Structures are given as structure tokens and as C-alpha cells.
Amino acid sequence: MAGMPPVHLILGDDEFLTERARLHIQRAAAEESGPTGARPELTKLKASEVSEGEILEATSPSLFGDNRVIVISDVEKVGKELTQVLLTAVADPGPGMTLVLIY
């Protein structure tokens, strides 16, 4: 994904606008996937309900180079350990990964 940044942060209390922004990013990621029409794999996680291992697995590089959109909501509710995992993922997202953090 050359044109679109791989990491996005959505801030806001309005659920409608937050979802609209997420869908816009997801569509842009699909458009950058190329003319094949293959939509990126979508993974949605709620940071307040997942383990460190689940976030690590979701944000690890794909073995097959698949384009993926990983949406992690409730990032304001994560603990110290998960914060470090998210910071690592944001600093070095895998190829083909679009990471969307919703705060």
C-alpha cells in the first residue's frame, strides 16, 4: 500500500462518525489492493476484551502477504502490556497491513 498510510487513529465519541471513518479507510485499503477486486481481510478487535496474544497474532505479518485491515477499538481502555504491543505494531506494521485504532 504505497499511497495510503498504514496506520490510522480515529478519535471521537460519535459512533456514527467513527464507523463512517473506519469504512472510508477500509474502502481505500480495498482500492489500493489492486484491480483484482480482492477485498482485504478484516479483523475487528475490542482492546478491552482481548489478550496480548490475540493482538500479537492479529498484527503479525501475514505468511502469504495478504492485504489486511485490522481495526482495534477501545484503545483507551488497554493496560500497560497491551499498550506496548500496540505501540510496537504501530511503529512497524507488517506489509499489506492497514491498522486502524479507534480511541
Side-chain angles (χ1 to χ4, degrees):
M1 297 189 156
M4 187 173 75
V7 179
H8 303 267
L9 176 62
I10 301 173
L11 299 170
D13 293 331
D14 188 318
E15 192 174 319
F16 173 78
L17 293 176
T18 299
E19 183 65 6
R20 192 169 166 185
R22 181 194 66 79
L23 288 172
H24 176 75
I25 295 165
Q26 191 175 332
R27 277 192 298 273
E31 287 173 9
E32 287 204 7
S33 292
T36 61
R39 295 168 63 176
E41 175 186 337
L42 175 64
T43 302
K44 292 172 86 175
L45 301 171
K46 207 169 202 176
S48 60
E49 298 175 359
V50 297
S51 68
E52 181 178 344
E54 289 171 304
I55 290 182
L56 280 171
E57 182 180 331
T59 59
S60 64
S62 170
L63 293 175
F64 304 106
D66 297 332
N67 289 331
R68 301 177 295 150
V69 175
I70 296 100
V71 178
I72 303 174
S73 61
D74 288 347
V75 295
E76 73 277 9
K77 297 177 183 176
V78 300
K80 190 176 189 177
E81 298 80 22
L82 287 180
T83 299
Q84 188 58 47
V85 172
L86 289 175
L87 287 173
T88 300
V90 166
D92 189 23
M97 180 187 307
T98 301
L99 185 59
V100 181
L101 304 175
I102 301 175
Y103 185 93

